[in-house]
Amino acid sequence: MTNFNLALDSFNIIICIVFFLAVVFRNHLNDEIQGGFKYLLILNFTLSVLNILMMIFEGTANSVNHIILCIVTFLFYAAYFALIIACCYEITLYAGKKKNIKFVYGIMIATSAIYFILLAATPFTNILYKISDDNIYTRGNYFFAPLILEFILYLVFIYYTSINRKEIEPVKRQIITIFILFPQVLQIIEIFFSGLFLLGSGISLAVMTMFILSQRWLETTLDNLEIELNEKEIDLINKVHEAQNTKLEVIKMQDHTIESLSNLVENRDEDTGEHVRRTRAYVELIAIQLMKNNRFPETLNASYIRFLKRAAPMHDIGKIVVPDAVLKKPGRLTPEEFEFMKKHASEGGRIVHEILDGYENPEYIKITADIATHHHEKWDGTGYPDGLKGEEIPLCARIMALADVFDALVSPRVYKTPMSYEEAYHIIESGAGTHFDPLIAQDFLSIKEKTSAVNEIFKEK
């Protein structure tokens, strides 16, 4: 029997080491269940080592061996029930701590307390085991007491599994049943064969079964989940494309509405019908040239230019508040009239927020509002409405200011005839550093052919 037990314990130690490494390096279980498996395997490993030590020190009748055997046997019985409780706790983790879990924990604590009281008394009363003077281990007078406690625990877990059967997956229920019954059957066999130790191997086989079936179940679940996620991903991609297309259509519609509204405002002066489209084209050309020359890299990028181009048509939206008598006056405005005209800048920013807040990208709204409010500011601080100076003026407004002035210079108005391109470029050059940002003016003057070509294209329309 000793050789058979030694073989079983050696097998059990190997199984514990292999599965401990498997749990550590390749496991799909969550951290709590994985930790429970580790403790189970460590306890089971310890139990088999202690059983081997019992076999080594048993039978040699000297005081040292007797003391060692007493200590090892006591630790063996302590590890044995600790392993049973650890198995029970792992079942609760595996099941997911369902209803009546407090009752289950209460029974676990109560049976543990009873067992360890019995164990503590055993060296003096031989309740669970006894060691004779010639150093021979035998069962105690009430060796069956732990089996009764275990039986109570297993009945509780059968009850626990049954009342939670609807909440525990069928595969898990099967695994838990194996985990409960297999060690119990082996312990029943131990009763009829004194000296036979099967529990360690039984626990190892139960752990092996739980681990392998859990891994297989989880891998199957993950495969199914992956398929489901792939299907949902495809569906989501289709919906995203649909949403993007819808968004593009909405943006086109918004841009068309904004451009139409801006044109409506501008067309109150019959000579400025294409001003909105021309200035938008100039703004885009200037911004691209600035980015090519690595100007304002902290602000200027493709997204900013896209917003800038969309925002440009609304630069004069505030003119909606200016009366026709002022807006269409063919001669020079009086100081009072000019003060009224200047209101279109601050009013423009307010109108932009009223139209766009809550419906558009915040960056786009800010660019649009800054253009509408500040495109009449001047680099030297003499502009309006706030008298901003230099880089206090938002970049988008500095770009818009130049595009707006250039178009005004080369286009006919009710109060003037158009200038030649060279005259307009000369005025822009003269205004660099006073009216205009000098860097923007410099880059604008480097693309004369493109800006004049834009103006010619719109003349043909």
Side-chain angles (χ1 to χ4, degrees):
M1 192 71 72
T2 300
N3 291 335
F4 183 72
N5 281 343
L6 186 62
L8 283 179
D9 285 324
S10 300
F11 165 78
N12 194 41
I13 288 170
I14 294 170
I15 290 295
C16 289
I17 293 171
V18 170
F19 272 90
F20 185 87
L21 294 174
V23 169
V24 170
F25 294 110
R26 188 182 182 278
N27 188 30
H28 293 147
L29 299 172
N30 67 46
D31 292 342
E32 197 173 20
I33 296 176
Q34 184 177 346
F37 265 125
K38 290 178 185 176
Y39 288 124
L40 269 176
L41 292 166
I42 291 170
L43 280 171
N44 205 12
F45 175 89
T46 303
L47 196 67
S48 290
V49 170
L50 290 170
N51 194 46
I52 291 173
L53 291 175
M54 286 173 63
M55 288 184 285
I56 291 172
F57 289 101
E58 185 184 11
T60 306
N62 63 63
S63 58
V64 174
N65 282 4
H66 182 74
I67 292 171
I68 293 175
L69 181 62
C70 289
I71 293 171
V72 169
T73 305
F74 185 87
L75 293 175
F76 172 84
Y77 271 78
Y80 150 73
F81 206 78
L83 179 61
I84 297 298
I85 295 298
C87 290
C88 293
Y89 183 66
E90 183 69 4
I91 290 172
T92 66
L93 294 179
Y94 191 69
K97 296 181 180 178
K98 307 297 183 182
K99 58 188 176 185
N100 281 12
I101 191 63
K102 290 183 179 179
F103 168 72
V104 173
Y105 284 164
I107 296 297
M108 288 168 59
I109 293 170
T111 52
S112 298
I114 294 170
Y115 178 83
F116 283 103
I117 290 171
L118 295 175
L119 179 61
T122 293
F124 312 103
T125 58
N126 299 328
I127 293 176
L128 301 181
Y129 63 87
K130 54 187 174 183
I131 298 174
S132 64
D133 293 337
D134 53 354
N135 220 30
I136 300 298
Y137 159 83
T138 57
R139 294 172 175 173
N141 299 328
Y142 299 95
F143 74 93
F144 54 83
L147 298 178
I148 294 173
L149 294 175
E150 284 180 53
F151 185 68
I152 292 170
L153 279 172
Y154 288 133
L155 284 179
V156 168
F157 274 94
I158 291 169
Y159 163 74
Y160 168 76
T161 305
S162 65
I163 64 172
N164 288 293
R165 62 186 179 280
K166 292 181 180 178
E167 299 178 36
I168 302 174
E169 293 87 345
V171 175
K172 282 190 174 183
R173 290 203 301 269
Q174 295 169 11
I175 294 171
I176 291 171
T177 302
I178 292 171
F179 205 75
I180 291 173
L181 294 180
F182 195 70
Q184 187 70 10
V185 170
L186 293 179
Q187 283 190 287
I188 292 171
I189 296 173
E190 285 181 5
I191 295 174
F192 299 101
F193 296 92
S194 180
L196 184 63
F197 178 64
L198 298 174
L199 178 65
S201 298
I203 296 292
S204 287
L205 290 172
V207 168
M208 183 189 305
T209 303
M210 178 182 272
F211 181 80
I212 292 172
L213 293 180
S214 297
Q215 292 291 96
R216 187 177 299 169
W217 175 74
L218 281 169
E219 287 173 3
T220 302
T221 303
L222 288 172
D223 288 341
N224 293 336
L225 183 60
E226 185 177 1
I227 293 169
E228 185 179 345
L229 286 175
N230 285 337
E231 291 174 351
K232 288 184 177 180
E233 183 181 9
I234 293 170
D235 185 48
L236 182 60
I237 289 171
N238 291 334
K239 288 181 178 178
V240 167
H241 286 161
E242 183 180 340
Q244 286 175 337
N245 291 334
T246 302
K247 184 179 179 182
L248 287 174
E249 290 299 318
V250 170
I251 290 173
K252 286 179 182 178
M253 186 168 63
Q254 286 177 336
D255 288 346
H256 180 72
T257 302
I258 288 169
E259 184 177 314
S260 299
L261 179 61
S262 302
N263 268 329
L264 181 64
V265 174
E266 292 290 347
N267 281 332
R268 290 171 64 200
D269 180 349
E270 294 178 0
D271 295 327
T272 60
E274 295 296 332
H275 175 67
V276 169
R277 294 186 181 88
R278 289 195 301 267
T279 51
R280 180 175 60 190
Y282 300 143
V283 160
E284 185 179 16
L285 286 174
I286 295 168
I288 290 172
Q289 187 65 21
L290 290 170
M291 192 164 70
K292 283 182 181 177
N293 292 336
N294 200 30
R295 312 285 197 194
F296 317 108
E298 69 286 352
T299 303
L300 207 55
N301 53 45
S303 175
Y304 187 90
I305 293 175
R306 186 169 65 252
F307 287 144
L308 181 62
K309 182 181 175 183
R310 290 184 61 207
M314 294 190 74
H315 69 281
D316 273 338
I317 194 71
K319 284 185 178 179
I320 199 169
V321 304
V322 180
D324 284 349
V326 176
L327 188 63
K328 295 185 176 183
K329 185 175 180 179
R332 181 179 294 275
L333 299 178
T334 65
E336 293 78 11
E337 289 171 336
F338 186 61
E339 286 300 317
F340 208 99
M341 175 66 82
K342 289 189 333 186
K343 288 183 179 180
H344 86 274
S346 55
E347 285 296 307
R350 180 185 63 79
I351 292 168
V352 164
H353 282 292
E354 284 188 359
I355 294 174
L356 299 180
D357 276 356
Y359 296 97
E360 274 286 358
N361 183 293
E363 184 183 4
Y364 168 65
I365 294 173
K366 186 177 186 313
I367 290 171
T368 308
D370 283 343
I371 284 177
T373 305
H374 298 298
H375 70 285
H376 284 295
E377 304 283 3
K378 295 183 179 180
W379 186 256
D380 60 5
T382 60
Y384 63 88
D386 298 322
L388 300 182
K389 184 178 182 180
E391 293 190 357
E392 293 176 352
I393 308 167
L395 175 61
C396 55
R398 295 181 342 242
I399 294 172
M400 190 72 234
L402 199 149
D404 191 38
V405 169
F406 175 73
D407 191 68
L409 292 174
V410 298
S411 302
R413 291 290 188 268
V414 292
Y415 51 85
K416 74 170 192 67
T417 57
M419 287 185 182
S420 68
Y421 294 129
E422 288 309 314
E423 288 177 304
Y425 293 135
H426 178 71
I427 289 175
I428 299 294
E429 187 175 7
S430 300
T434 54
H435 191 155
F436 310 111
D437 181 327
L439 290 178
I440 296 175
Q442 179 184 333
D443 283 4
F444 174 78
L445 293 170
S446 70
I447 53 171
K448 292 178 181 179
E449 292 182 0
K450 293 180 180 178
T451 52
S452 59
V454 166
N455 190 266
E456 291 299 322
I457 289 170
F458 279 98
K459 279 181 181 179
E460 295 172 4
K461 290 186 178 182

